[in-house]
């Protein structure tokens, strides 16, 4: 799939609703979404247990979806949107936090494992497959302590100043992917500290 041109029609930004989860590692995708809000000033509507909006990137209509259910029910919301718009799993791209990548690193890929991620697990359950595109946002694995507590913790004072830059980079990478510059992006680990960004 990575060697063929993807026809992405839906971008899904995973996260948990509620002020207590704002700026937590599990909500990295929602922080990325802020760059879309700033650039495109979309007029959101609520449907499918989520916020939805259409934007145009290089003349192509792309739907953004921000599920408002909790992470472990993400698939329910996405399934409703996919059924309504008659979308196939390979036409969606899910932005999510990733423990196995260091903070500051993002990676586009197609398919792959679930890595214990509740949002991905829910998506596989409701879509019937794990064969969909993903943008993995690295949050690092904790050196000690409970993983569940780690993903629900806030980014550190050192990390937060980089989040706006990372959010902008995620936007640019997704725009390039949708424009068709896909083969050079799939599988590539892009690290802000190494300058490996567009």
């Amino acid at each position: 799939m990575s060697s063929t041109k993807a026809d992405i029609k839906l971008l899904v930004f995973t996260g948990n609703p509620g002020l207590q989860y704002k700026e937590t590692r599990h909500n990295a995708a929602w922080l990325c979404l802020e760059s879309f809000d700033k650039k495109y000033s979309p007029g959101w509507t609520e449907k499918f247990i989520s916020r939805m909006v259409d934007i145009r990137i290089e003349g192509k209509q792309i739907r953004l979806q921000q599920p408002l259910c909790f992470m472990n029910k993400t698939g329910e919301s996405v399934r409703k949107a996919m059924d309504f718009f008659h979308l196939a799993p390979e036409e969606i791209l899910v932005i999510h936090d990733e423990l196995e990548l260091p903070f500051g690193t993002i990676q586009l890929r197609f398919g792959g494992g679930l890595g214990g991620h509740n949002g991905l697990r829910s998506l596989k359950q409701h879509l019937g497959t794990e064969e969909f595109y993903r943008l993995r946002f690295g949050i690092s694995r904790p050196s000690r302590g409970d993983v569940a507590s780690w993903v629900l913790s806030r980014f550190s004072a050192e990390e937060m100043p980089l989040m706006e830059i990372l959010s902008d980079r995620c936007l640019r990478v997704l725009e390039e992917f949708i424009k068709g510059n896909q083969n050079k992006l799939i599988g590539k680990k892009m690290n802000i500290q190494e300058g490996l960004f567009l």
Side-chain angles (χ1 to χ4, degrees):
M1 178 63 70
S2 62
S3 62
T4 61
K5 187 173 181 179
D7 185 19
I8 301 300
K9 297 179 179 176
L10 177 68
L11 299 180
V12 178
F13 296 80
T14 63
N16 284 313
L19 288 176
Q20 67 269 42
Y21 300 110
K22 185 177 174 61
E23 297 181 353
T24 59
R25 300 173 197 279
H26 224 15
N27 278 33
W30 285 19
L31 292 170
C32 293
L33 184 56
E34 291 180 6
S35 282
F36 280 85
D37 279 336
K38 290 176 183 177
K39 180 170 183 177
Y40 293 98
S41 301
W44 294 91
T45 59
E46 289 197 18
K47 59 177 75 172
F48 315 127
I49 328 171
S50 62
R51 292 203 309 158
M52 299 285 304
V53 71
D54 291 355
I55 64 172
R56 298 195 76 81
I57 298 177
E58 290 291 302
K60 179 175 180 176
Q61 178 177 284
I62 300 293
R63 291 188 170 92
L64 310 183
Q65 182 176 21
Q66 181 185 20
L68 298 177
C69 46
F70 284 96
M71 186 72 83
N72 62 357
K73 295 186 176 181
T74 299
E76 297 179 25
S77 178
V78 175
R79 181 79 252 181
K80 289 176 184 291
M82 288 179 62
D83 287 346
F84 185 85
F85 295 115
H86 307 290
L87 301 178
E90 61 269 20
E91 293 176 313
I92 75 169
L93 193 157
V94 178
I95 300 90
H96 66 88
D97 57 298
E98 177 56 63
L99 282 165
E100 305 307 328
L101 290 178
F103 177 79
T105 298
I106 62 175
Q107 181 188 39
L108 277 163
R109 68 185 296 180
F110 181 77
L114 307 179
H117 193 286
N118 288 335
L120 295 179
R121 184 182 293 119
S122 176
L123 283 162
K124 181 181 180 181
Q125 176 187 350
H126 289 276
L127 276 57
T129 181
E130 54 193 44
E131 299 294 288
F132 48 84
Y133 286 92
R134 305 137 185 228
L135 188 147
R136 307 163 73 211
F137 186 104
I139 61 169
S140 302
R141 181 173 285 276
S143 57
R144 61 180 184 276
D146 179 54
V147 167
S149 297
W150 173 255
V151 299
L152 295 178
S153 67
R154 295 182 184 276
F155 286 106
S156 70
E158 293 75 24
E159 292 167 332
M160 274 309 297
L162 293 174
M163 284 304 299
E164 185 173 352
I165 300 172
L166 283 166
S167 175
D168 179 64
R169 295 297 190 270
C170 286
L171 167 63
R172 291 175 61 187
V173 167
L174 288 168
E175 286 177 330
E176 288 297 315
F177 190 74
I178 289 165
K179 288 175 188 177
N181 298 326
Q182 297 167 358
N183 288 340
K184 73 175 184 179
L185 292 174
I186 283 288
K188 179 182 178 182
K189 293 180 181 178
M190 294 164 275
N191 189 291
I192 190 172
Q193 296 174 336
E194 298 174 4
L196 300 179
F197 274 100
L198 299 172

